[in-house]
Amino acid sequence: MNGTLRAREQLTASDRAAMLQLMQRHFEGVDAPRFHADLEQKNWAVLLHDDAGKLVGFSTLLLTQSLDRDRPITVICSGDTIVHPRAWRSTALPRTWIRAVRRLHAEHGEGPLWWLLITSGYRTYRFLPVFCRTFYPCYNAATPPRVARLMRQLATERYGDRYAPETGLVRFERPQRLRAALRDVPAGKSADPHVAHFLACNPGHEQGDELVSLAELGDGNLTSAGLRMLYGQTRQPAAPALPST
């Protein structure tokens, strides 16, 4: 598997067609005009190709800037993300993704790097504990007030009145729904505390409701697995990046 970072303007017509086809294969409610309109709101994409050069996964990104109590921060907003089931065992997409967003932050960002993620499927939510030591919402800790405030701020900036702060969910007028084979939670998966928490926080996930999550992506908040994906070896992280209050 081969992962690459592309600026949106560098995506060819064949890239876009393959991305749309992959989305339509795995999601209901995806049409070409909406897909391309959403893509125009992003500025980067991480693409995953197999050894034959066929697209088997991608994640679109919006790199943007905001303020946290008048201090600059950089925000990565994840957009459409899908991986073909035959590539689920590969780490190429998450490895390319974390290296890409850290490179973009170094080249274009200012202040701490935050990841604003919305998810209608538990598999994408499970990327959070793979990468991050602390992220919210999570099953084993309440969201600190400062992080809750920042999450509300960033989600409102990005999604407006489609975001409901009282539930932590984004609801689109015409949601994209995972197809049944991917939407269903296999027997035993709900015993995973992260999956169980996702399902509790997002009871409407089967209808395409999106759960808002937030995590900081500095070295101090990366797991050992996240550090290996980023650097190719384990590095001892610095002090935890997130405040407890």
Side-chain angles (χ1 to χ4, degrees), residues 156-235:
T156 300
E157 289 173 358
R158 180 78 187 100
Y159 300 106
D161 59 9
R162 294 169 293 184
Y163 167 63
E166 64 277 10
T167 64
L169 299 174
V170 172
R171 288 187 173 134
F172 294 105
E173 184 178 347
R174 295 172 60 195
Q176 299 175 165
R177 300 171 67 236
L178 282 164
R179 296 196 180 276
L182 298 177
R183 195 164 62 228
D184 296 340
V185 181
K189 280 292 184 182
S190 58
D192 179 319
H194 295 294
V195 175
H197 191 66
F198 170 80
L199 297 175
C201 290
N202 191 2
H205 67 98
E206 291 187 344
Q207 286 72 52
D209 288 356
E210 306 268 2
L211 177 66
V212 175
S213 301
L214 188 65
E216 201 267 339
L217 291 178
D219 278 13
N221 196 42
L222 293 185
T223 63
S224 58
L227 290 166
R228 283 195 303 273
M229 290 184 191
L230 179 59
Y231 295 111
Q233 59 184 357
T234 302
R235 284 179 38 163

Side-chain angles (χ1 to χ4, degrees), residues 21-127:
Q21 184 180 47
L22 195 63
M23 283 292 292
Q24 290 176 327
R25 180 170 181 172
H26 296 92
F27 282 88
E28 300 171 354
V30 179
D31 59 35
R34 291 176 60 207
F35 171 78
H36 292 300
D38 182 78
L39 184 58
E40 288 305 306
Q41 297 177 26
K42 308 303 187 294
N43 43 26
W44 300 91
V46 173
L47 307 182
L48 179 65
H49 294 89
D50 64 16
D51 293 340
K54 182 177 177 60
L55 185 76
V56 291
F58 71 88
S59 182
T60 61
L61 308 170
L62 174 66
L63 179 76
T64 187
Q65 308 297 319
S66 189
L67 295 173
D68 178 12
R69 292 179 174 172
D70 298 323
R71 291 176 294 183
I73 59 173
T74 301
V75 184
I76 285 286
C77 302
S78 289
D80 289 335
T81 300
I82 190 65
V83 177
H84 192 286
R86 66 186 174 88
W88 283 351
R89 292 183 179 274
S90 171
T91 63
L93 185 68
R95 186 173 64 249
T96 305
W97 187 91
I98 188 64
R99 292 177 180 182
V101 299
R102 288 289 295 267
R103 171 186 153 194
L104 293 173
H105 179 230
E107 294 178 355
H108 306 288
E110 185 178 3
L113 175 63
W114 290 88
W115 180 18
L116 182 68
L117 174 68
I118 62 170
T119 50
S120 64
Y122 75 89
R123 292 180 182 87
T124 304
Y125 176 81
R126 283 292 280 116
F127 278 121

